[in-house]
Every structure is written in C-alpha cells, then in structure tokens.
Amino acid sequence: MIYIIIPVFNRKALTRGCLKSIEGQTFKDFKTIVVDDGSTDGTFQMIQDEFPNVEVLKGNGDLWWTGSTNLGVNYLTNAGRVKSDDFVLTLNNDLEI
C-alpha cells in the first residue's frame, strides 16, 4: 500500500488537478490523505464532494507545509495503519502525476 499525504492551504484548482491525476492512475493500491490547514476557498468541501475516497484531516492554519505533512504521517503511524511493506509518499498539491 502507498499512502499519499498532500498538505494543502487554499489553491482549490491546483488541489483538484492533483487529486484527479492521482485518481487516474492504473495502480490502485494507494490511499490519499489530504491535510487541509485551514483553507478558506472551499478546498475542504470540494474534496468531500468530488473525491469521496480521499481522507481529509484538518489543521487550524498554523501548521504550514511541514506541520501538515507531520500531521499526516503521525496520523498513519500512531494509528498503526502503516505496515513494514507500505510506503508513504508526500506530494505538493501543485503536482500532477
């Protein structure tokens, strides 16, 4: 399993493009986790509406990129979700793969 962690703050259109590119992959053994650090442009709602398989964690606006990434990684490791043969991939929301 590949866990993809994407920290976001606003930039809804870029986030949509990133998530669409991930959704279009032929390899399907992955789980996407977006850490929305207090977006005010509707990013959170767009993800819920258009990407129901994406899990969204919420920040308060003070996390920035590193804190958001750490929140996602800690969420996975503290809950025991990641196994020894899993991978964690961090992406910026302006990337399309």
Side-chain angles (χ1 to χ4, degrees), residues 51 82 94:
F51 303 95
V82 178
D94 60 353

Side-chain angles (χ1 to χ4, degrees), residues 13-84:
L14 289 173
T15 302
R16 180 183 287 121
C18 179
L19 293 175
K20 280 186 178 182
S21 75
I22 293 168
E23 192 176 70
Q25 298 301 306
T26 57
F27 181 83
K28 297 296 183 185
D29 192 20
F30 65 86
K31 174 73 177 161
T32 304
I33 299 167
V34 171
V35 181
D36 182 353
D37 190 27
S39 292
T40 58
D41 66 347
T43 296
F44 178 81
Q45 191 63 49
M46 179 273 297
I47 295 169
Q48 286 191 315
D49 292 345
E50 297 179 27
F51 303 95
N53 293 328
V54 172
E55 192 165 354
V56 183
L57 306 177
K58 288 182 129 182
N60 61 8
D62 293 332
L63 296 174
W64 299 83
W65 187 86
T66 303
S68 295
T69 300
N70 286 339
L71 179 66
V73 170
N74 288 335
Y75 171 76
L76 291 174
T77 56
N78 292 341
R81 289 176 173 81
V82 178
K83 298 178 181 70
S84 62

